[in-house]
Amino acid sequence: MKTMKKLLYISTAILGFSFLSCKKELNLVPYNALPPSEVFSSDADFQNAVSGMYLEMRNSGAYYVGGDNSSFIATNDILTDNLIGFSNSRGTGAQFADWNYNALTTTTFYIDGYAIIRSANEIIANIGNLPESDSVNKNDYLGQALAVRAIVHFDLARLFGNAYNFASASDLGVPYVTHVPAYTENPTRDLLKNNYDSVMVDLNNAVSLIGDDAPGRVGKAAVYGYLSRLYLDMSDWTNTIASATASLNIESDPGSLTDFPNIWIDQSENGVLFKLKILQTDQLTPGTSFGQGAKAEQIPTAYLFNLYQSNDVRLTAYFAPVTYNGLNINLVIKYLGQGAAGDIQNLVDIKLLRVAEVYLNRAEAYANSGQDALALADLDALRSNRYTNFSSGNETGAALKTAIALERRLELALEGDRFVDLKRKGLGIIRPDVNGGLNSGLVRPWPAQSLTMSPGDHRFALPIDQNSINAAKGVLLQNPGY
Protein backbone atom coordinates (compact mmCIF):
# COMPACT_ATOMS: atom_id res chain seq x y z
CA MET A 1 0.00 0.00 0.00
CA LYS A 2 2.80 2.42 0.88
CA THR A 3 4.51 1.76 -2.46
CA MET A 4 1.25 2.44 -4.30
CA LYS A 5 0.85 5.72 -2.43
CA LYS A 6 4.40 6.72 -3.43
CA LEU A 7 3.64 6.06 -7.06
CA LEU A 8 0.39 7.97 -6.73
CA TYR A 9 2.19 11.00 -5.35
CA ILE A 10 4.94 10.92 -7.96
CA SER A 11 2.37 10.55 -10.74
CA THR A 12 0.55 13.59 -9.37
CA ALA A 13 3.79 15.54 -9.08
CA ILE A 14 4.69 15.04 -12.72
CA LEU A 15 1.27 16.04 -13.99
CA GLY A 16 2.82 19.45 -14.31
CA PHE A 17 2.86 23.00 -13.18
CA SER A 18 -0.22 24.74 -14.55
CA PHE A 19 -1.16 28.39 -14.50
CA LEU A 20 -4.67 27.49 -15.62
CA SER A 21 -7.72 28.14 -13.50
CA CYS A 22 -7.88 24.38 -12.92
CA LYS A 23 -4.41 24.36 -11.35
CA LYS A 24 -5.90 23.73 -7.88
CA GLU A 25 -7.07 20.32 -8.99
CA LEU A 26 -3.81 19.56 -10.76
CA ASN A 27 -1.48 20.50 -7.94
CA LEU A 28 -3.22 19.27 -4.82
CA VAL A 29 -1.70 16.16 -3.26
CA PRO A 30 -4.31 13.37 -3.05
CA TYR A 31 -5.89 13.05 0.39
CA ASN A 32 -4.47 9.55 0.86
CA ALA A 33 -0.96 10.28 -0.45
CA LEU A 34 2.22 10.28 1.59
CA PRO A 35 4.06 13.56 2.28
CA PRO A 36 7.11 14.34 0.10
CA SER A 37 9.52 13.48 2.92
CA GLU A 38 8.36 9.87 2.72
CA VAL A 39 7.77 9.67 -1.01
CA PHE A 40 11.28 10.96 -1.84
CA SER A 41 13.33 8.96 0.62
CA SER A 42 15.31 6.29 -1.25
CA ASP A 43 17.50 5.92 -4.28
CA ALA A 44 14.71 4.05 -6.04
CA ASP A 45 12.30 6.91 -5.37
CA PHE A 46 14.63 9.40 -7.04
CA GLN A 47 15.29 7.07 -9.95
CA ASN A 48 11.53 7.02 -10.49
CA ALA A 49 11.31 10.79 -10.15
CA VAL A 50 14.09 11.36 -12.69
CA SER A 51 12.39 8.93 -15.07
CA GLY A 52 9.16 10.86 -14.52
CA MET A 53 10.91 14.12 -15.41
CA TYR A 54 12.10 12.71 -18.73
CA LEU A 55 8.68 11.17 -19.28
CA GLU A 56 7.19 14.66 -18.94
CA MET A 57 9.63 15.89 -21.60
CA ARG A 58 8.39 13.29 -24.07
CA ASN A 59 4.77 13.08 -23.00
CA SER A 60 2.04 12.92 -25.61
CA GLY A 61 1.22 16.40 -26.85
CA ALA A 62 4.03 17.85 -24.75
CA TYR A 63 6.67 20.49 -25.24
CA TYR A 64 9.30 18.67 -27.32
CA VAL A 65 7.31 15.80 -28.80
CA GLY A 66 3.91 17.41 -29.35
CA GLY A 67 1.90 17.75 -32.50
CA ASP A 68 0.24 20.59 -34.33
CA ASN A 69 0.78 23.53 -32.01
CA SER A 70 3.09 22.43 -29.23
CA SER A 71 6.34 21.02 -30.56
CA PHE A 72 9.40 23.19 -30.01
CA ILE A 73 11.14 21.14 -32.70
CA ALA A 74 8.61 21.69 -35.50
CA THR A 75 7.34 25.17 -34.64
CA ASN A 76 10.76 26.81 -34.89
CA ASP A 77 10.92 25.86 -38.57
CA ILE A 78 7.24 26.35 -39.41
CA LEU A 79 7.59 29.97 -38.29
CA THR A 80 10.34 30.62 -40.82
CA ASP A 81 11.33 30.10 -44.44
CA ASN A 82 12.32 26.44 -43.98
CA LEU A 83 8.90 24.75 -44.15
CA ILE A 84 5.56 25.36 -45.83
CA GLY A 85 2.31 23.43 -45.53
CA PHE A 86 1.62 20.69 -48.10
CA SER A 87 -1.57 21.26 -50.10
CA ASN A 88 -3.00 17.87 -49.02
CA SER A 89 -2.15 18.34 -45.34
CA ARG A 90 -4.49 18.75 -42.37
CA GLY A 91 -3.27 22.30 -41.89
CA THR A 92 -0.79 21.41 -39.17
CA GLY A 93 0.76 24.51 -37.63
CA ALA A 94 -1.16 26.89 -39.90
CA GLN A 95 -1.45 29.64 -37.27
CA PHE A 96 2.30 29.65 -36.78
CA ALA A 97 3.01 29.35 -40.50
CA ASP A 98 0.76 32.33 -41.26
CA TRP A 99 2.03 34.33 -38.27
CA ASN A 100 -1.56 34.47 -37.13
CA TYR A 101 -0.92 33.14 -33.64
CA ASN A 102 -2.53 34.67 -30.59
CA ALA A 103 -2.57 34.29 -26.82
CA LEU A 104 -4.57 31.05 -27.05
CA THR A 105 -2.36 29.43 -29.70
CA THR A 106 0.49 28.90 -27.24
CA THR A 107 -1.51 27.44 -24.33
CA THR A 108 -0.24 23.87 -24.54
CA PHE A 109 3.24 25.02 -25.41
CA TYR A 110 3.51 27.28 -22.38
CA ILE A 111 1.83 25.00 -19.85
CA ASP A 112 3.76 21.90 -20.87
CA GLY A 113 7.06 23.71 -20.49
CA TYR A 114 6.25 24.46 -16.88
CA ALA A 115 5.03 20.91 -16.30
CA ILE A 116 8.56 19.72 -17.08
CA ILE A 117 10.02 22.41 -14.80
CA ARG A 118 7.78 21.33 -11.95
CA SER A 119 9.00 17.74 -12.31
CA ALA A 120 12.60 18.96 -12.06
CA ASN A 121 11.79 21.14 -9.04
CA GLU A 122 10.21 18.21 -7.20
CA ILE A 123 13.57 16.44 -7.34
CA ILE A 124 15.54 19.53 -6.36
CA ALA A 125 13.24 20.36 -3.44
CA ASN A 126 13.45 16.88 -1.97
CA ILE A 127 17.02 15.83 -2.75
CA GLY A 128 18.03 16.47 0.86
CA ASN A 129 15.94 13.47 1.89
CA LEU A 130 18.36 11.09 0.19
CA PRO A 131 20.96 9.72 2.65
CA GLU A 132 24.56 10.83 2.24
CA SER A 133 25.46 7.17 1.71
CA ASP A 134 23.89 7.62 -1.73
CA SER A 135 25.98 10.72 -2.42
CA VAL A 136 27.14 9.67 -5.90
CA ASN A 137 23.63 9.11 -7.22
CA LYS A 138 22.34 12.01 -5.18
CA ASN A 139 24.60 14.46 -6.99
CA ASP A 140 23.68 13.00 -10.35
CA TYR A 141 19.92 13.25 -9.72
CA LEU A 142 20.31 16.86 -8.61
CA GLY A 143 22.52 17.67 -11.60
CA GLN A 144 20.04 16.22 -14.07
CA ALA A 145 17.14 18.11 -12.51
CA LEU A 146 19.07 21.41 -12.53
CA ALA A 147 20.06 20.88 -16.16
CA VAL A 148 16.52 20.09 -17.31
CA ARG A 149 15.14 23.07 -15.39
CA ALA A 150 17.66 25.31 -17.12
CA ILE A 151 17.13 23.84 -20.60
CA VAL A 152 13.36 24.32 -20.57
CA HIS A 153 13.49 27.82 -19.06
CA PHE A 154 16.03 28.77 -21.74
CA ASP A 155 13.79 27.53 -24.53
CA LEU A 156 10.81 29.36 -23.04
CA ALA A 157 12.81 32.58 -22.70
CA ARG A 158 14.00 32.38 -26.30
CA LEU A 159 10.45 31.97 -27.58
CA PHE A 160 8.47 34.25 -25.28
CA GLY A 161 11.08 36.97 -24.71
CA ASN A 162 12.95 39.32 -27.01
CA ALA A 163 16.37 38.46 -28.41
CA TYR A 164 18.98 38.81 -25.67
CA ASN A 165 21.33 41.02 -27.68
CA PHE A 166 18.55 43.46 -28.59
CA ALA A 167 16.70 43.46 -25.26
CA SER A 168 16.69 46.39 -22.88
CA ALA A 169 17.42 46.02 -19.19
CA SER A 170 13.68 46.21 -18.50
CA ASP A 171 12.50 43.64 -21.08
CA LEU A 172 10.59 40.75 -19.59
CA GLY A 173 11.38 37.09 -20.00
CA VAL A 174 9.38 34.28 -18.40
CA PRO A 175 8.74 33.29 -14.78
CA TYR A 176 11.88 31.47 -13.60
CA VAL A 177 10.41 28.95 -11.19
CA THR A 178 12.89 27.41 -8.76
CA HIS A 179 10.54 25.76 -6.26
CA VAL A 180 7.39 23.67 -6.21
CA PRO A 181 4.67 26.33 -6.05
CA ALA A 182 1.46 26.09 -4.10
CA TYR A 183 -1.68 26.30 -6.20
CA THR A 184 -2.42 29.74 -4.74
CA GLU A 185 0.80 31.24 -6.11
CA ASN A 186 0.71 33.51 -9.14
CA PRO A 187 4.14 33.63 -10.77
CA THR A 188 5.30 36.86 -12.35
CA ARG A 189 7.63 37.30 -15.29
CA ASP A 190 11.27 37.84 -14.49
CA LEU A 191 13.53 40.15 -16.48
CA LEU A 192 14.83 38.50 -19.63
CA LYS A 193 18.47 39.03 -18.71
CA ASN A 194 17.80 37.57 -15.28
CA ASN A 195 16.43 34.48 -17.06
CA TYR A 196 19.75 34.04 -18.82
CA ASP A 197 21.68 34.53 -15.58
CA SER A 198 19.53 31.90 -13.87
CA VAL A 199 19.99 29.42 -16.72
CA MET A 200 23.73 30.01 -16.51
CA VAL A 201 23.78 29.34 -12.76
CA ASP A 202 21.70 26.17 -13.05
CA LEU A 203 23.80 24.75 -15.88
CA ASN A 204 27.10 25.53 -14.17
CA ASN A 205 25.86 23.95 -10.96
CA ALA A 206 24.60 20.94 -12.91
CA VAL A 207 27.89 20.26 -14.67
CA SER A 208 29.74 19.96 -11.36
CA LEU A 209 27.24 17.38 -10.08
CA ILE A 210 26.14 15.33 -13.03
CA GLY A 211 27.46 11.88 -13.89
CA ASP A 212 28.58 10.35 -17.16
CA ASP A 213 26.59 10.64 -20.35
CA ALA A 214 23.96 7.97 -20.95
CA PRO A 215 21.36 7.57 -23.70
CA GLY A 216 18.11 9.35 -22.95
CA ARG A 217 19.42 11.63 -20.19
CA VAL A 218 21.60 14.69 -19.74
CA GLY A 219 25.30 14.16 -19.11
CA LYS A 220 28.36 16.39 -18.74
CA ALA A 221 29.08 16.77 -22.45
CA ALA A 222 25.46 17.80 -23.02
CA VAL A 223 25.49 20.36 -20.21
CA TYR A 224 28.66 21.93 -21.58
CA GLY A 225 27.02 21.88 -25.01
CA TYR A 226 23.96 23.70 -23.69
CA LEU A 227 26.24 26.25 -22.04
CA SER A 228 27.85 26.87 -25.43
CA ARG A 229 24.35 27.42 -26.87
CA LEU A 230 23.49 29.85 -24.07
CA TYR A 231 26.71 31.86 -24.38
CA LEU A 232 26.38 31.96 -28.17
CA ASP A 233 22.91 33.46 -27.76
CA MET A 234 24.50 36.13 -25.57
CA SER A 235 27.38 36.74 -28.04
CA ASP A 236 29.79 35.84 -25.24
CA TRP A 237 32.43 34.39 -27.54
CA THR A 238 35.00 33.59 -24.85
CA ASN A 239 32.65 31.46 -22.79
CA THR A 240 31.11 29.91 -25.91
CA ILE A 241 34.56 28.67 -26.89
CA ALA A 242 35.40 27.46 -23.38
CA SER A 243 32.16 25.52 -22.86
CA ALA A 244 32.15 24.09 -26.39
CA THR A 245 35.73 22.95 -25.92
CA ALA A 246 34.81 21.26 -22.64
CA SER A 247 31.99 19.42 -24.40
CA LEU A 248 34.12 18.40 -27.38
CA ASN A 249 36.87 17.17 -25.06
CA ILE A 250 34.35 14.58 -23.87
CA GLU A 251 32.69 13.78 -27.21
CA SER A 252 33.94 15.08 -30.56
CA ASP A 253 32.48 12.67 -33.14
CA PRO A 254 29.77 14.46 -35.16
CA GLY A 255 28.79 11.25 -36.97
CA SER A 256 30.67 10.07 -40.05
CA LEU A 257 29.46 10.13 -43.64
CA THR A 258 28.49 6.46 -43.45
CA ASP A 259 27.04 6.61 -39.95
CA PHE A 260 25.11 9.88 -40.19
CA PRO A 261 21.95 8.51 -41.88
CA ASN A 262 21.69 5.86 -39.16
CA ILE A 263 21.30 8.54 -36.49
CA TRP A 264 17.86 9.44 -37.86
CA ILE A 265 16.54 5.89 -37.80
CA ASP A 266 17.96 5.25 -34.31
CA GLN A 267 20.52 2.75 -35.50
CA SER A 268 23.38 4.90 -34.17
CA GLU A 269 23.90 7.37 -31.34
CA ASN A 270 27.20 8.75 -32.64
CA GLY A 271 27.19 12.51 -32.53
CA VAL A 272 24.12 12.71 -30.25
CA LEU A 273 24.71 14.40 -26.90
CA PHE A 274 21.14 14.38 -25.58
CA LYS A 275 18.00 12.80 -26.94
CA LEU A 276 14.60 11.74 -25.68
CA LYS A 277 14.23 8.02 -26.20
CA ILE A 278 10.78 7.16 -27.55
CA LEU A 279 9.66 3.56 -27.02
CA GLN A 280 6.92 1.66 -28.81
CA THR A 281 5.16 1.33 -25.46
CA ASP A 282 5.00 5.14 -25.29
CA GLN A 283 2.73 5.17 -28.35
CA LEU A 284 4.18 8.54 -29.35
CA THR A 285 4.80 9.55 -32.95
CA PRO A 286 6.60 12.90 -32.94
CA GLY A 287 7.16 12.78 -36.69
CA THR A 288 3.49 13.45 -37.43
CA SER A 289 4.17 17.20 -37.21
CA PHE A 290 6.04 16.76 -40.49
CA GLY A 291 3.99 14.02 -42.10
CA GLN A 292 2.38 10.60 -41.91
CA GLY A 293 4.07 8.17 -44.24
CA ALA A 294 3.99 9.65 -47.74
CA LYS A 295 1.37 12.19 -46.68
CA ALA A 296 3.29 15.30 -45.76
CA GLU A 297 2.15 17.95 -43.33
CA GLN A 298 5.07 20.30 -43.87
CA ILE A 299 7.46 20.19 -46.82
CA PRO A 300 10.79 21.99 -47.27
CA THR A 301 10.65 25.26 -49.13
CA ALA A 302 12.69 25.56 -52.29
CA TYR A 303 14.83 28.09 -50.41
CA LEU A 304 15.94 25.39 -47.98
CA PHE A 305 15.97 22.31 -50.20
CA ASN A 306 17.99 23.90 -52.99
CA LEU A 307 20.80 24.76 -50.56
CA TYR A 308 21.75 21.09 -50.23
CA GLN A 309 24.34 19.92 -52.75
CA SER A 310 24.13 16.53 -54.44
CA ASN A 311 27.18 15.26 -52.51
CA ASP A 312 25.69 16.27 -49.12
CA VAL A 313 24.75 13.22 -47.03
CA ARG A 314 22.03 15.29 -45.36
CA LEU A 315 20.08 15.58 -48.61
CA THR A 316 19.04 11.93 -48.47
CA ALA A 317 19.15 11.62 -44.66
CA TYR A 318 16.64 14.46 -44.22
CA PHE A 319 14.44 14.23 -47.34
CA ALA A 320 13.04 11.71 -49.83
CA PRO A 321 11.12 12.25 -53.07
CA VAL A 322 7.62 10.74 -52.88
CA THR A 323 4.37 10.93 -54.78
CA TYR A 324 1.11 11.55 -52.94
CA ASN A 325 -2.21 11.92 -54.77
CA GLY A 326 -0.26 12.42 -57.97
CA LEU A 327 1.85 15.23 -56.47
CA ASN A 328 5.63 14.91 -56.42
CA ILE A 329 7.09 16.33 -53.23
CA ASN A 330 10.20 16.18 -51.08
CA LEU A 331 9.14 14.50 -47.85
CA VAL A 332 10.84 15.27 -44.53
CA ILE A 333 12.08 11.85 -43.36
CA LYS A 334 14.16 13.02 -40.40
CA TYR A 335 11.37 11.89 -38.07
CA LEU A 336 9.73 9.28 -40.26
CA GLY A 337 10.61 6.30 -38.06
CA GLN A 338 13.23 3.88 -36.84
CA GLY A 339 13.21 1.87 -40.03
CA ALA A 340 13.00 -1.62 -38.53
CA ALA A 341 10.21 -3.95 -39.64
CA GLY A 342 7.15 -3.62 -37.47
CA ASP A 343 8.09 -0.26 -35.97
CA ILE A 344 5.34 2.27 -35.50
CA GLN A 345 5.30 4.89 -38.23
CA ASN A 346 6.90 8.16 -37.09
CA LEU A 347 8.21 6.59 -33.87
CA VAL A 348 11.73 7.93 -33.48
CA ASP A 349 13.93 9.37 -30.74
CA ILE A 350 14.06 13.17 -30.49
CA LYS A 351 17.58 14.55 -30.77
CA LEU A 352 17.80 17.72 -28.70
CA LEU A 353 21.57 18.38 -28.84
CA ARG A 354 24.25 17.05 -31.16
CA VAL A 355 28.04 17.33 -31.41
CA ALA A 356 27.65 19.06 -34.77
CA GLU A 357 25.97 22.05 -33.15
CA VAL A 358 28.76 22.38 -30.61
CA TYR A 359 31.31 22.55 -33.44
CA LEU A 360 29.19 25.21 -35.14
CA ASN A 361 28.82 27.19 -31.91
CA ARG A 362 32.56 27.23 -31.38
CA ALA A 363 33.28 27.98 -35.03
CA GLU A 364 31.01 31.03 -34.93
CA ALA A 365 32.59 32.21 -31.68
CA TYR A 366 36.10 31.78 -33.10
CA ALA A 367 35.14 33.65 -36.27
CA ASN A 368 33.70 36.53 -34.26
CA SER A 369 36.87 36.61 -32.15
CA GLY A 370 39.15 37.01 -35.18
CA GLN A 371 40.47 33.44 -34.91
CA ASP A 372 39.71 32.39 -38.46
CA ALA A 373 42.07 29.41 -38.63
CA LEU A 374 40.44 27.78 -35.61
CA ALA A 375 36.97 28.60 -36.89
CA LEU A 376 37.75 27.02 -40.26
CA ALA A 377 39.14 23.91 -38.54
CA ASP A 378 35.86 23.43 -36.67
CA LEU A 379 33.78 24.10 -39.76
CA ASP A 380 35.81 21.61 -41.78
CA ALA A 381 35.59 19.01 -39.00
CA LEU A 382 31.86 19.05 -39.67
CA ARG A 383 31.89 19.54 -43.45
CA SER A 384 34.32 16.66 -43.99
CA ASN A 385 31.71 14.40 -42.40
CA ARG A 386 28.82 15.69 -44.51
CA TYR A 387 30.17 16.01 -48.07
CA THR A 388 31.66 13.23 -50.15
CA ASN A 389 34.93 14.22 -51.86
CA PHE A 390 35.12 17.21 -49.55
CA SER A 391 37.62 19.95 -50.22
CA SER A 392 37.87 22.94 -47.88
CA GLY A 393 36.93 26.35 -49.20
CA ASN A 394 39.63 27.89 -46.97
CA GLU A 395 37.29 30.78 -46.27
CA THR A 396 38.32 33.76 -44.16
CA GLY A 397 36.64 36.90 -42.85
CA ALA A 398 33.08 37.58 -43.96
CA ALA A 399 33.06 34.57 -46.30
CA LEU A 400 33.92 32.29 -43.38
CA LYS A 401 31.07 33.67 -41.26
CA THR A 402 28.69 33.17 -44.17
CA ALA A 403 29.87 29.59 -44.60
CA ILE A 404 29.36 28.85 -40.89
CA ALA A 405 25.84 30.30 -41.00
CA LEU A 406 25.02 28.20 -44.08
CA GLU A 407 26.21 24.98 -42.45
CA ARG A 408 24.20 25.79 -39.36
CA ARG A 409 21.04 26.13 -41.41
CA LEU A 410 21.75 22.91 -43.33
CA GLU A 411 22.79 20.85 -40.32
CA LEU A 412 20.16 21.95 -37.82
CA ALA A 413 17.21 22.27 -40.20
CA LEU A 414 14.01 20.85 -38.67
CA GLU A 415 15.55 20.60 -35.20
CA GLY A 416 14.11 23.70 -33.55
CA ASP A 417 16.88 26.18 -34.42
CA ARG A 418 15.90 28.37 -37.37
CA PHE A 419 13.47 30.83 -35.74
CA VAL A 420 15.53 31.43 -32.61
CA ASP A 421 18.70 31.64 -34.70
CA LEU A 422 17.34 34.38 -36.95
CA LYS A 423 15.97 36.12 -33.88
CA ARG A 424 19.26 36.12 -31.96
CA LYS A 425 21.07 37.58 -34.97
CA GLY A 426 18.45 40.25 -35.59
CA LEU A 427 18.04 39.17 -39.21
CA GLY A 428 14.28 39.00 -39.53
CA ILE A 429 12.46 36.52 -41.78
CA ILE A 430 12.11 36.92 -45.54
CA ARG A 431 9.85 34.64 -47.59
CA PRO A 432 10.24 35.81 -51.19
CA ASP A 433 6.85 34.53 -52.36
CA VAL A 434 3.67 32.98 -51.01
CA ASN A 435 4.46 29.49 -52.35
CA GLY A 436 7.90 29.03 -50.81
CA GLY A 437 9.45 28.87 -54.25
CA LEU A 438 7.37 25.79 -55.16
CA ASN A 439 4.56 25.00 -57.58
CA SER A 440 1.37 26.55 -56.24
CA GLY A 441 -0.46 23.23 -56.41
CA LEU A 442 1.91 21.66 -53.90
CA VAL A 443 1.48 24.04 -50.98
CA ARG A 444 -0.84 25.91 -48.68
CA PRO A 445 0.30 29.43 -49.61
CA TRP A 446 1.34 31.89 -46.95
CA PRO A 447 -0.82 35.03 -46.80
CA ALA A 448 0.72 37.92 -48.67
CA GLN A 449 1.05 39.82 -45.37
CA SER A 450 3.12 36.97 -43.90
CA LEU A 451 6.18 37.24 -46.11
CA THR A 452 8.38 39.56 -44.08
CA MET A 453 8.94 39.74 -40.34
CA SER A 454 11.31 42.60 -39.73
CA PRO A 455 13.87 42.53 -36.91
CA GLY A 456 12.22 43.77 -33.75
CA ASP A 457 8.71 42.78 -34.90
CA HIS A 458 6.60 42.03 -31.82
CA ARG A 459 5.75 38.59 -33.25
CA PHE A 460 9.32 37.42 -32.63
CA ALA A 461 8.22 37.15 -28.98
CA LEU A 462 5.36 34.66 -28.89
CA PRO A 463 2.27 35.59 -26.86
CA ILE A 464 2.08 34.40 -23.27
CA ASP A 465 -0.77 31.92 -22.80
CA GLN A 466 -3.97 33.87 -22.07
CA ASN A 467 -5.34 31.20 -19.73
CA SER A 468 -2.26 31.56 -17.55
CA ILE A 469 -2.62 35.33 -17.58
CA ASN A 470 -6.27 35.06 -16.52
CA ALA A 471 -5.44 32.63 -13.73
CA ALA A 472 -2.66 34.89 -12.46
CA LYS A 473 -5.16 37.73 -11.88
CA GLY A 474 -3.15 40.58 -13.31
CA VAL A 475 0.39 39.75 -12.21
CA LEU A 476 1.46 37.85 -15.35
CA LEU A 477 1.91 40.43 -18.12
CA GLN A 478 1.32 39.85 -21.84
CA ASN A 479 3.88 40.69 -24.49
CA PRO A 480 3.25 43.91 -26.45
CA GLY A 481 1.14 43.63 -29.60
CA TYR A 482 -1.21 40.82 -28.51
Side-chain angles (χ1 to χ4, degrees), residues 213-237:
D213 291 9
R217 45 152 283 181
V218 185
K220 281 188 182 294
V223 178
Y224 281 125
Y226 274 108
L227 277 167
S228 77
R229 183 186 288 180
L230 174 74
Y231 290 126
L232 185 76
D233 216 60
M234 301 168 68
S235 298
D236 182 342
W237 312 129

Side-chain angles (χ1 to χ4, degrees), residues 319-389:
F319 311 104
V322 299
T323 300
Y324 184 82
N325 277 356
L327 299 174
N328 298 321
I329 58 172
N330 291 305
L331 181 71
V332 175
I333 61 171
K334 207 170 185 177
Y335 303 92
L336 189 58
Q338 295 172 341
D343 279 352
I344 300 171
Q345 181 175 283
N346 292 126
L347 184 147
V348 67
D349 296 341
I350 297 296
K351 292 78 180 174
L352 294 181
L353 180 68
R354 297 191 290 112
V355 172
E357 181 190 339
V358 181
Y359 273 116
L360 290 165
N361 293 347
R362 192 171 70 172
E364 185 175 333
Y366 276 141
N368 281 290
S369 302
Q371 301 179 74
D372 283 9
L374 292 172
L376 181 64
D378 277 350
L379 180 60
D380 284 350
L382 176 62
R383 293 194 294 192
S384 63
N385 285 287
R386 298 295 180 264
Y387 298 94
T388 57
N389 302 315

Side-chain angles (χ1 to χ4, degrees), residues 24 98 116 132 147 167 230 233 254 256 285 296 306 367 375 377 415 418 425 446 463 469 475:
K24 182 173 181 178
D98 296 347
I116 302 167
E132 288 301 322
L230 174 74
D233 216 60
S256 68
T285 54
N306 291 338
E415 291 184 56
R418 181 64 172 164
K425 294 176 179 177
W446 295 307
I469 290 174
V475 301

Side-chain angles (χ1 to χ4, degrees), residues 182-202:
Y183 72 87
T184 53
E185 290 187 52
N186 292 312
T188 59
R189 297 177 68 181
D190 200 354
L191 296 174
L192 178 72
K193 298 204 170 180
N194 287 351
N195 282 169
Y196 278 68
D197 289 342
S198 297
V199 171
M200 191 187 309
V201 169
D202 274 351

